[in-house]
Amino acid sequence: MDTDSFEKYEQNPINQLWDDILFLPIVGMVDSARAQDIMDVMLEMAERTGARFAILDIRGVSVVDSAVANHIIKITKSTRLLGCTTILTGVTPAVAQSLVNLGIDLGDIATSAQVRDALKLAFNELGYVIHQQTSA
Amino acid sequence: MNAATAQTGNPDICLPVMNEQDVQQAVRQCRRLCMQYGFKQVQAFQVATALAELAKNMLYHADGGEIHIRLLHTPRTGIEIEACDHGPGIPDIEQAMQNHFSTRGTLGIGLPAVKRLMDEMQIETVTGQGTRIRARKWR
Ligand SMILES: Nc1ncnc2c1ncn2[C@@H]1O[C@H](COP(=O)(O)OP(=O)(O)O)[C@@H](O)[C@H]1O
Ligand SMILES: [Mg+2]
């Protein structure tokens, strides 16, 4: 791994949360260069792990304006080409309202406010059933 | 002095916008001010998003500029974002305000979105001299 791609992963710490599930929290600002880095790490990890879902958490993004929303849509589209579906989290009511005002249509991208809900959705789609062991 | 200047006698913050980091700084300040002055979170995000659109327009359509964030007190509490630049100006405002119009091949929804995100919007522009856009939101 060269320095560049090391930094890419440092800035965008993508994780394999489960066999088929990636998780990437984005913090700070997303300009074109950052968006390209995010796209790179998502595609590289999706290819390497064969993951079928990527949870992209945008709660920490400074602001979701039209340019940022457009970057996010492009990232999810390209990841999907590798068979990896993005679930967008951190889409709080405030973010959702601004997206509506922007006139941005997230189309069929699944969104939720909480990472927990995205994880449940992915587990569900992948056929995992989570249950708490009861002590007899 | 027009009504707007009288109302906004206390300019709170003036920030230079020369790069994306500056935009981020301005967004942070703006959101903090909104929360501090009792705007709802939805409103704070709307104002910050509008600010980001105006600031990035100055970066990409002019050579940067300045963002002013002011609190308004009359007729009621509000916040005003002003974006000032000495760029090329906007030759046709009506066209620029249309959804999907862009001279740079980007989305072209920034300006019309500012209008939807905020309560009031005013554009002053002189070709070859610059642009001043003010947008307000009432609490
Ligand atoms: N500060 C500015 N100075 C000069 N032209 C501007 C400025 N802001 C916006 N414009 C013009 O208005 C158009 C529409 O702006 P906008 O709706 O934000 O879309 P976009 O930024 O994607 O082009 C721009 O393409 C540009 O021609
Ligand atoms: Mg714009």
Side-chain angles (χ1 to χ4, degrees), chain B residues 6-129:
Chain B
Q7 263 182 13
T8 57
N10 59 334
D12 292 17
I13 300 183
C14 169
L15 299 157
V17 176
M18 300 309 290
N19 52 48
E20 294 264 355
Q21 272 84 6
D22 292 342
V23 178
Q24 179 171 261
Q25 282 294 332
V27 160
R28 284 216 183 115
Q29 295 252 28
C30 174
R31 207 148 45 198
R32 195 173 45 75
L33 263 186
C34 284
M35 297 314 282
Q36 190 178 327
Y37 286 95
F39 284 83
K40 294 189 189 77
Q41 197 180 35
V42 170
Q43 293 177 314
F45 272 64
Q46 286 174 313
V47 177
T49 306
L51 182 151
E53 295 292 348
L54 295 177
K56 287 188 185 174
N57 276 355
M58 294 196 296
L59 278 187
Y60 297 113
H61 306 300
D63 295 322
E66 272 177 2
I67 286 279
H68 299 258
I69 309 172
R70 312 193 168 93
L71 239 25
L72 308 173
H73 303 292
T74 40
R76 52 202 173 101
T77 304
I79 194 160
E80 177 176 90
I81 306 298
E82 178 178 324
C84 268
D85 66 62
H86 299 290
I90 304 173
D92 186 342
I93 294 179
E94 206 178 304
Q95 194 177 37
M97 285 300 293
Q98 272 164 24
N99 272 318
H100 311 301
F101 174 83
S102 172
T103 48
R104 277 184 62 115
T106 39
L107 288 185
I109 59 176
L111 284 184
V114 170
K115 193 167 172 110
R116 293 188 289 263
L117 289 158
M118 305 290 279
D119 294 323
E120 289 171 30
M121 180 184 186
Q122 191 181 342
I123 303 179
E124 293 159 51
T125 181
V126 179
T127 309
Q129 288 189 23

Side-chain angles (χ1 to χ4, degrees), chain A:
Chain A
M1 214 191 270
D2 58 27
T3 320
D4 265 5
S5 65
F6 178 76
E7 260 171 37
K8 232 186 268 183
Y9 280 88
E10 204 175 48
Q11 303 295 319
N12 305 292
I14 191 165
N15 268 285
Q16 190 170 10
L17 207 58
W18 204 258
D19 293 343
D20 273 327
I21 308 172
L22 304 177
F23 174 57
L24 174 56
I26 310 178
V27 175
M29 84 188 182
V30 182
D31 57 9
S32 327
R34 176 86 191 279
Q36 186 58 55
D37 286 351
I38 294 167
M39 175 117 71
D40 288 351
V41 302
M42 292 260 291
L43 291 175
E44 280 167 25
M45 275 293 268
E47 180 163 43
R48 188 147 63 79
T49 62
R52 290 182 45 210
F53 288 93
I55 299 172
L56 192 60
D57 187 47
I58 61 168
R59 181 178 299 272
V61 173
S62 314
V63 63
V64 184
D65 58 17
S66 61
V68 173
N70 195 35
H71 288 314
I72 290 169
I73 290 169
K74 282 186 178 159
I75 290 166
T76 64
K77 279 186 180 161
S78 54
T79 313
R80 182 166 304 170
L81 293 177
L82 292 187
C84 181
T85 302
T86 302
I87 307 172
L88 210 55
T89 62
V91 184
T92 57
V95 171
Q97 176 63 59
S98 285
L99 282 171
V100 168
N101 289 141
L102 285 167
I104 296 280
D105 182 9
L106 288 178
D108 54 356
I109 301 172
T111 64
S112 70
Q114 306 294 336
V115 173
R116 178 191 351 123
D117 296 323
L119 191 56
K120 275 185 194 160
L121 175 70
F123 276 151
N124 194 40
E125 291 284 320
L126 292 165
Y128 290 110
V129 180
I130 310 290
H131 62 92
Q132 191 172 28
Q133 216 164 31
T134 48
S135 45

